[in-house]
Protein backbone atom coordinates (compact mmCIF):
# COMPACT_ATOMS: atom_id res chain seq x y z
CA UNK A 1 0.00 0.00 0.00
CA UNK A 2 1.23 3.48 -0.82
CA UNK A 3 0.19 7.06 -0.21
CA UNK A 4 -2.04 8.40 -2.98
CA UNK A 5 -3.71 11.79 -3.41
CA UNK A 6 -3.42 14.27 -0.59
CA UNK A 7 -6.98 15.21 0.38
CA UNK A 8 -6.16 17.84 3.01
CA UNK A 9 -2.79 19.43 3.66
CA UNK A 10 -1.72 20.57 7.11
CA UNK A 11 -2.77 24.16 6.44
CA UNK A 12 -6.33 23.14 5.47
CA UNK A 13 -6.53 20.84 8.48
CA UNK A 14 -5.51 23.61 10.89
CA UNK A 15 -8.03 25.99 9.33
CA UNK A 16 -10.81 23.43 9.77
CA UNK A 17 -9.75 22.57 13.33
CA UNK A 18 -9.83 26.28 14.21
CA UNK A 19 -13.30 26.66 12.67
CA UNK A 20 -14.60 23.71 14.69
CA UNK A 21 -13.05 25.10 17.87
CA UNK A 22 -14.63 28.50 17.18
CA UNK A 23 -18.10 26.90 17.04
CA UNK A 24 -17.44 24.87 20.19
CA UNK A 25 -16.27 28.01 22.01
CA UNK A 26 -19.48 29.77 20.92
CA UNK A 27 -21.72 26.90 22.02
CA UNK A 28 -20.19 26.23 25.43
CA UNK A 29 -18.87 29.69 26.36
CA UNK A 30 -17.28 29.32 29.82
CA UNK A 31 -18.83 25.92 30.64
CA UNK A 32 -16.27 23.31 31.68
CA UNK A 33 -15.98 20.67 28.97
CA UNK A 34 -14.92 17.03 29.25
CA UNK A 35 -13.34 15.99 25.95
CA UNK A 36 -13.34 12.23 25.36
CA UNK A 37 -11.02 11.27 22.51
CA UNK A 38 -11.23 7.87 20.86
CA UNK A 39 -7.78 6.35 20.50
CA UNK A 40 -5.75 5.93 18.68
CA UNK A 41 -6.95 7.75 15.57
CA UNK A 42 -8.00 10.99 17.27
CA UNK A 43 -4.84 11.67 19.26
CA UNK A 44 -3.51 14.43 17.01
CA UNK A 45 -6.94 15.95 16.38
CA UNK A 46 -7.59 16.13 20.14
CA UNK A 47 -4.15 17.61 20.80
CA UNK A 48 -4.73 20.30 18.16
CA UNK A 49 -8.34 21.22 18.90
CA UNK A 50 -7.95 21.58 22.67
CA UNK A 51 -5.34 24.27 22.11
CA UNK A 52 -7.96 26.45 20.43
CA UNK A 53 -10.59 25.95 23.14
CA UNK A 54 -11.07 28.77 25.62
CA UNK A 55 -13.27 27.16 28.31
CA UNK A 56 -11.85 25.02 31.14
CA UNK A 57 -11.20 21.63 29.52
CA UNK A 58 -10.65 18.12 30.88
CA UNK A 59 -9.25 15.51 28.50
CA UNK A 60 -9.78 11.76 28.67
CA UNK A 61 -9.47 8.91 26.17
CA UNK A 62 -11.09 5.59 25.36
CA UNK A 63 -9.09 3.03 23.40
CA UNK A 64 -10.95 1.03 20.81
CA UNK A 65 -10.61 -0.39 17.37
CA UNK A 66 -13.12 -1.57 14.81
CA UNK A 67 -10.93 -1.83 11.75
CA UNK A 68 -9.16 -4.92 10.60
CA UNK A 69 -7.02 -4.04 7.61
CA UNK A 70 -9.19 -1.55 5.70
CA UNK A 71 -12.67 -2.97 6.25
CA UNK A 72 -14.95 -2.04 9.11
CA UNK A 73 -15.55 -5.29 10.96
CA UNK A 74 -18.48 -4.13 13.02
CA UNK A 75 -16.75 -5.71 16.03
CA UNK A 76 -15.46 -3.13 18.40
CA UNK A 77 -13.30 -3.74 21.41
CA UNK A 78 -13.04 -1.16 24.15
CA UNK A 79 -9.74 -1.52 25.95
CA UNK A 80 -9.76 0.96 28.76
CA UNK A 81 -12.11 2.81 31.03
CA UNK A 82 -12.46 6.50 31.47
CA UNK A 83 -10.50 8.08 34.29
CA UNK A 84 -12.75 11.11 34.60
CA UNK A 85 -16.30 10.91 35.93
CA UNK A 86 -18.92 11.61 33.27
CA UNK A 87 -21.94 12.10 35.51
CA UNK A 88 -23.41 15.58 35.18
CA UNK A 89 -20.61 16.87 32.96
CA UNK A 90 -20.78 18.51 29.55
CA UNK A 91 -19.11 15.85 27.41
CA UNK A 92 -17.78 16.15 23.87
CA UNK A 93 -16.70 12.97 22.10
CA UNK A 94 -13.88 13.70 19.64
CA UNK A 95 -13.29 11.16 16.88
CA UNK A 96 -11.20 11.07 13.71
CA UNK A 97 -13.66 9.46 11.27
CA UNK A 98 -17.34 8.54 11.25
CA UNK A 99 -17.83 5.76 8.73
CA UNK A 100 -20.36 2.93 9.29
CA UNK A 101 -21.33 4.55 12.58
CA UNK A 102 -20.89 1.37 14.68
CA UNK A 103 -18.07 2.84 16.76
CA UNK A 104 -19.71 6.11 17.71
CA UNK A 105 -23.10 4.45 18.20
CA UNK A 106 -21.63 2.09 20.79
CA UNK A 107 -19.45 4.70 22.49
CA UNK A 108 -22.34 7.17 22.62
CA UNK A 109 -24.58 4.57 24.32
CA UNK A 110 -21.83 3.73 26.83
CA UNK A 111 -21.34 7.36 27.73
CA UNK A 112 -25.08 8.09 27.90
CA UNK A 113 -25.33 5.21 30.41
CA UNK A 114 -23.05 7.24 32.69
CA UNK A 115 -25.53 10.15 32.79
CA UNK A 116 -23.58 13.11 31.39
CA UNK A 117 -25.15 16.55 31.79
CA UNK A 118 -24.94 16.89 28.00
CA UNK A 119 -23.33 14.96 25.19
CA UNK A 120 -22.18 16.12 21.76
CA UNK A 121 -19.98 14.57 19.09
CA UNK A 122 -17.23 16.15 17.02
CA UNK A 123 -15.65 14.30 14.08
CA UNK A 124 -12.85 15.51 11.86
CA UNK A 125 -14.07 13.47 8.89
CA UNK A 126 -17.47 12.13 7.95
CA UNK A 127 -17.75 9.35 5.37
CA UNK A 128 -21.54 9.15 4.91
CA UNK A 129 -21.55 6.63 2.04
CA UNK A 130 -21.31 3.44 4.09
CA UNK A 131 -23.34 4.54 7.12
CA UNK A 132 -25.16 1.66 8.82
CA UNK A 133 -26.07 3.32 12.11
CA UNK A 134 -27.44 6.84 12.26
CA UNK A 135 -25.30 8.87 14.65
CA UNK A 136 -26.17 12.44 15.67
CA UNK A 137 -23.03 14.47 15.00
CA UNK A 138 -22.76 18.09 16.10
CA UNK A 139 -19.45 19.18 14.57
CA UNK A 140 -18.00 17.87 11.29
CA UNK A 141 -14.66 19.01 9.85
CA UNK A 142 -14.60 17.43 6.38
CA UNK A 143 -17.03 15.26 4.46
CA UNK A 144 -15.03 12.69 2.54
CA UNK A 145 -15.89 10.17 -0.18
CA UNK A 146 -15.64 6.43 0.38
CA UNK A 147 -11.86 6.15 0.22
CA UNK A 148 -9.48 4.84 2.85
CA UNK A 149 -7.53 7.72 4.31
CA UNK A 150 -4.36 7.85 6.41
CA UNK A 151 -2.38 10.51 8.21
CA UNK A 152 -2.98 13.13 10.90
CA UNK A 153 -3.45 10.33 13.45
CA UNK A 154 -5.23 7.82 11.24
CA UNK A 155 -3.41 4.65 10.25
CA UNK A 156 -3.11 1.68 7.99
CA UNK A 157 -1.93 -1.25 10.14
CA UNK A 158 -0.56 1.27 12.67
CA UNK A 159 1.50 3.13 10.08
CA UNK A 160 1.21 6.64 8.63
CA UNK A 161 -0.27 8.23 11.79
CA UNK A 162 2.61 10.72 11.78
CA UNK A 163 1.85 12.22 8.36
CA UNK A 164 1.02 15.94 8.82
CA UNK A 165 -1.56 15.72 6.00
CA UNK A 166 -4.51 13.42 5.19
CA UNK A 167 -4.08 11.28 2.10
CA UNK A 168 -5.79 8.50 0.28
CA UNK A 169 -4.24 5.05 0.62
CA UNK A 170 -3.67 3.25 -2.66
CA UNK A 171 -2.68 -0.23 -3.74
CA UNK A 172 0.78 -0.20 -5.34
P1 LIG B 1 -17.10 3.09 11.96
O1 LIG B 1 -17.34 2.29 13.21
O2 LIG B 1 -17.88 4.38 11.92
O3 LIG B 1 -17.27 2.27 10.71
O4 LIG B 1 -15.57 3.40 11.90
C1 LIG B 1 -15.00 4.37 12.57
C2 LIG B 1 -13.54 4.09 12.80
O5 LIG B 1 -12.95 3.34 11.74
C3 LIG B 1 -12.82 5.39 12.85
O6 LIG B 1 -12.64 5.75 14.17
C4 LIG B 1 -11.49 5.08 12.22
O7 LIG B 1 -10.58 4.74 13.22
C5 LIG B 1 -11.74 3.90 11.35
N1 LIG B 1 -11.82 4.34 9.96
C6 LIG B 1 -12.92 4.54 9.20
N2 LIG B 1 -12.60 4.95 7.98
C7 LIG B 1 -11.26 5.03 7.96
C8 LIG B 1 -10.31 5.43 6.96
O8 LIG B 1 -10.62 5.80 5.82
N3 LIG B 1 -9.00 5.40 7.33
C9 LIG B 1 -8.59 5.00 8.57
N4 LIG B 1 -7.29 5.02 8.82
N5 LIG B 1 -9.45 4.62 9.52
C10 LIG B 1 -10.77 4.63 9.21
MG1 LIG C 1 -11.01 5.88 15.23
Amino acid sequence: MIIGNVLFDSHEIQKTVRTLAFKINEDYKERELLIIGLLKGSFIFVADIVRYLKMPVLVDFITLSSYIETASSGEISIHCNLKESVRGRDVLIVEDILDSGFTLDIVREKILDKSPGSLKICVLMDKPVKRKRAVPVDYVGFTVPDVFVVGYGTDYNEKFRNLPYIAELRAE
Side-chain angles (χ1 to χ4, degrees), residues 1 15 23 32 39 63 66-67 89 95 106 115 119 123 128 133 144 150-152 159:
M1 289 293 200
K15 208 174 122 190
K23 289 186 197 140
E32 186 175 270
L39 293 176
T63 303
S66 70
Y67 258 62
R89 288 192 189 282
E95 170 65 319
I106 287 172
S115 311
L119 179 62
V123 297
R133 296 274 171 86
V144 294
V150 291
Y152 193 70
K159 290 187 191 132

Side-chain angles (χ1 to χ4, degrees), residues 128-144:
V129 177
K130 287 218 290 260
R131 190 83 82 253
K132 296 202 177 65
R133 296 274 171 86
V135 179
V137 205
D138 303 279
Y139 308 98
V140 176
F142 302 106
T143 300
V144 294

Side-chain angles (χ1 to χ4, degrees), residues 9-25:
D9 64 24
S10 62
H11 181 78
E12 279 176 282
I13 296 171
Q14 286 309 310
K15 208 174 122 190
T16 295
V17 172
R18 274 201 306 274
T19 305
L20 290 172
F22 181 85
K23 289 186 197 140
I24 296 166
N25 284 328

Side-chain angles (χ1 to χ4, degrees), residues 38-39 41-42 64 95-97:
L38 308 192
L39 293 176
S42 74
L64 42 82
E95 170 65 319
D96 53 358
I97 305 170

